[in-house]
Amino acid sequence: MAQQSGFGRWVVVITAVSAAIMELIDTSIVNVGLNDIAGNLGATIEDVSWVVTSYGIANVIVIPMTGFLQKYFGRKNYYIASIILFTLASYGCGIATDLWTLVFFRFMQGVGGGALLSTSQGIMFDAFPPSQRATASALFGLGIVLGPTFGPTLGGIIIDNFHWSWMFFINIPVGILAVFLSITYVEKKEDEIDIDRKQIKIDYLGIILLAVGVGALQYVLERGEADDWFDDQAIIYLTVAAVVAIPLFIWWQLYGTKSPVLDLRVLKNTNLAIGAILLFVVGYGLFTSVLLYPLFVQRVLGFTATKTGMLLIPGGAIAAFCFPMVGKILSKGVSPRYVVMAGYVVFATFCFLMSTYNAETQDPDFLKALLIRGVGLALVNVPLINTSVSTLAVAELPTGIAITNMMRQLGGAFGVAITNTYVTQRAAVHRGDLIVNTSPENPLFTERINALTQGLASKGINALDAVTGAYRNLDLIIQKQSLMLAYLDTFKLAGLFFVVSFPLLFFIKNRKMDAATAKAVADAAH
């Protein structure tokens, strides 16, 4: 396939990045609107969380199969069909009048969106010559970070000013434009012009085992905390399904079939195996920080959804500024490993800095931390993806790309699950520690209760009710303090993940981004 040039190339770039951002925004945009959706559809918060869960399950099932599906349908056809499905499902979500209709269309949206990451990445690389593909990788990495980052921002603005359905309707014009530009400017590769599907064997058992195993695991990770983990029968059954299906899938892909849907033999490559683990940690950090920051500032400091989102914008802007710089650094031959090391240190710094904040922290302090986060993500994502697949053979690259994208998504799901569980546990521990001090023998406790009682009495409340109200207000203060300390502990835990996994970087082969490597990465979607 001839490479694009000039105007056509940048149209392809805008199309691919927009499609990737659109897909990733939808992983987090609804998080800030769950209360409004629940109230409007007459559902509980527990039930409406399926709006998030169904999308994640569909995403993580489809992502590892994108290499096979591109081969079977042709990359351009599969890409356009996925955008159309995503767009139609977005419309279905927007007009849904009951919860389970919304959940169904969210699942279909996830099926369509799951194809957009890896496929967009391949289309981006093909638009550039080998010498400029590090820049292409940087532009695509920008979309990977900006999507989850701006999801809550956009969602907050919509929830505060419009109906929740517009979180889905905004995808429609972007989807229509992306389809038109893809049909017009994205070229077919030589091997997809005349596909003989009769010669392509379909690994039906592998697809079933993958869907059951990964889908069940994603469900357990996302719903475990809300459903009290193993006190819930569905969690037990699906945990068993995941424990059985995933090992069977691995065995089948390695030994049971000659035409695997996901050829796991590529994990014999050291760079890919270590890179997959590190991308799991990056996904954990990316999605956990997007989850923790809004919860912290909204529940502890009382920020509005709009203000919460607005503070994310400068961090996104610095990431946008850094990504092209990272691409240029890589294209000049700097080892990706050194850039990733710097990114790991910077992102861990963000986590540990956030773990020192409290209810008195001011906006500039959060802004500083989020700027550090933006720099860290820019330094980590692009070079880590490149170095993970840089030593693979051309035929192995589609599977390598699929595995890296899947591991990043699974890392995000794991991060959300462990965050919810850890916050709950640490809040209970901190509450117990604080309550120990609420004893009449403690002069500070007596002084605080008296002050609260007098404050209520000064507002005309009778003495008995003032005492009762003082104790109630103190309990609320303890709850808020416990929650704040739990969030700080969870930020620290996220930082420790980066510290513990840092030594793995020394086992990655120190291969520079030369023209041959760039060309190999460019063929990733073939």
Side-chain angles (χ1 to χ4, degrees):
M1 183 184 77
Q3 288 155 4
Q4 297 278 3
S5 61
F7 177 76
R9 173 186 297 166
W10 289 105
V11 170
V12 171
V13 168
I14 293 170
T15 303
V17 172
S18 298
I21 290 177
M22 182 173 65
E23 194 277 333
L24 287 166
I25 280 178
D26 274 69
T27 63
S28 59
I29 190 172
V30 300
N31 292 354
V32 296
L34 293 181
N35 282 329
D36 289 68
I37 295 173
N40 185 257
L41 298 181
T44 64
I45 287 293
E46 289 74 18
D47 285 340
V48 85
S49 64
W50 271 102
V51 175
V52 176
T53 302
S54 60
Y55 186 88
I57 290 173
N59 246 212
V60 82
I61 290 172
V62 172
I63 285 173
M65 294 195 294
T66 52
F68 163 75
L69 293 172
Q70 288 179 64
K71 180 180 178 182
Y72 190 80
F73 294 107
R75 187 179 67 182
K76 179 175 180 177
N77 293 338
Y78 180 53
Y79 185 63
I80 293 172
S82 297
I83 298 175
I84 292 173
L85 177 59
F86 186 90
T87 305
L88 291 175
S90 296
Y91 176 74
C93 290
I95 64 172
T97 56
D98 64 86
L99 175 62
W100 300 113
T101 300
L102 176 58
V103 169
F104 169 76
F105 280 114
R106 274 288 283 177
F107 183 86
M108 298 308 297
Q109 199 183 34
V111 171
L116 298 184
L117 286 180
S118 298
T119 314
S120 294
Q121 189 173 2
I123 290 171
M124 279 277 293
F125 284 140
D126 276 341
F128 287 82
S131 61
Q132 298 179 21
R133 279 165 182 159
T135 301
S137 184
L139 291 170
F140 184 76
L142 178 63
I144 290 176
V145 172
L146 291 186
T149 298
F150 285 136
T153 306
L154 190 56
I157 293 172
I158 290 172
I159 289 298
D160 286 345
N161 298 281
F162 305 98
H163 190 266
W164 60 263
S165 58
W166 282 98
M167 291 190 294
F168 304 108
F169 287 148
I170 59 171
N171 292 328
I172 296 173
V174 178
I176 292 173
L177 182 60
V179 169
F180 171 75
L181 294 177
S182 298
I183 292 173
T184 307
Y185 290 97
V186 174
E187 298 180 5
K188 287 187 175 182
K189 301 178 68 62
E190 288 81 356
D191 58 4
E192 62 179 307
I193 294 174
D194 187 21
I195 300 173
D196 185 2
R197 295 187 178 89
K198 294 180 180 179
Q199 300 299 317
I200 302 176
K201 294 182 179 180
I202 301 176
D203 181 14
Y204 291 106
L205 180 58
I207 292 172
I208 292 171
L209 290 173
L210 175 65
V212 172
V214 177
L217 177 62
Q218 181 81 0
Y219 176 95
V220 171
L221 289 175
E222 293 206 20
R223 296 288 303 176
E225 175 61 28
D227 295 342
D228 295 325
W229 291 103
F230 297 109
D231 289 333
D232 181 75
Q233 283 193 335
I235 294 293
I236 295 174
Y237 293 148
L238 289 172
T239 299
V240 172
V243 169
V244 172
I246 292 176
L248 278 176
F249 172 74
I250 293 172
W251 177 85
W252 180 254
Q253 298 302 286
L254 292 175
Y255 308 109
T257 179
K258 295 181 179 179
S259 304
V261 67
L262 184 66
D263 189 359
L264 297 179
R265 296 179 184 87
V266 297
L267 287 172
K268 293 178 181 178
N269 181 282
T270 302
N271 272 25
L272 179 62
I274 295 176
I277 296 171
L278 295 174
L279 280 165
F280 182 92
V281 175
V282 170
Y284 172 91
L286 174 60
F287 286 92
T288 297
S289 58
V290 168
L291 172 68
L292 269 181
Y293 159 72
L295 289 174
F296 179 50
V297 298
Q298 288 180 7
R299 298 183 70 180
V300 176
L301 280 75
F303 285 14
T304 64
T306 300
K307 182 178 180 180
T308 300
M310 288 300 178
L311 280 175
L312 284 167
I313 291 177
I318 196 70
F321 175 76
C322 289
F323 266 102
M325 294 179 61
V326 172
K328 290 181 180 179
I329 290 172
L330 294 176
S331 65
K332 290 181 178 179
V334 175
S335 170
R337 185 173 70 180
Y338 299 139
V339 183
V340 176
M341 286 180 173
Y344 254 60
V345 171
V346 173
F347 198 91
T349 300
F350 155 74
C351 294
F352 290 126
L353 181 60
M354 287 292 294
S355 73
T356 66
Y357 288 172
N358 55 48
E360 304 301 320
T361 302
Q362 301 298 311
D363 293 3
D365 296 309
F366 286 109
L367 185 61
K368 177 177 67 177
L370 293 170
L371 288 172
I372 293 173
R373 174 183 177 273
V375 173
L377 288 173
L379 292 173
V380 166
N381 271 282
V382 176
L384 186 51
I385 292 171
N386 283 336
T387 198
S388 296
V389 300
S390 64
T391 55
L392 293 176
V394 172
E396 298 172 329
L397 285 166
T399 301
I401 287 290
I403 288 174
T404 56
N405 283 324
M406 180 182 70
M407 292 300 290
R408 187 176 55 245
Q409 292 297 104
L410 282 177
F414 177 80
V416 171
I418 199 172
T419 294
N420 288 333
T421 303
Y422 195 67
V423 165
T424 301
Q425 292 177 347
R426 294 303 297 168
V429 170
H430 287 302
R431 179 177 173 80
D433 292 341
L434 293 173
I435 287 177
V436 169
N437 298 311
T438 59
S439 168
E441 286 77 23
N442 186 339
L444 293 176
F445 168 73
T446 303
E447 181 183 337
R448 188 66 177 269
I449 281 293
N450 290 338
L452 290 171
T453 302
Q454 292 170 9
L456 293 173
S458 67
K459 297 179 181 178
I461 299 174
N462 66 63
L464 182 60
D465 289 342
V467 172
T468 303
Y471 276 94
R472 186 182 301 114
N473 287 344
L474 185 60
D475 184 63
L476 291 174
I477 292 171
I478 290 173
Q479 287 183 26
K480 185 176 179 179
Q481 287 289 318
S482 301
L483 195 60
M484 180 193 74
L485 292 171
Y487 287 138
L488 301 185
D489 289 346
T490 311
F491 274 116
K492 189 178 296 182
L493 179 66
L496 289 174
F497 266 87
F498 281 83
V499 172
V500 170
S501 60
F502 187 86
L504 290 175
L505 288 166
F506 291 97
F507 293 94
I508 293 179
K509 294 179 181 178
N510 195 15
R511 183 172 178 179
K512 295 183 179 181
M513 181 58 66
D514 55 20
T517 300
K519 184 180 186 305
V521 175
D523 294 328
H526 294 202

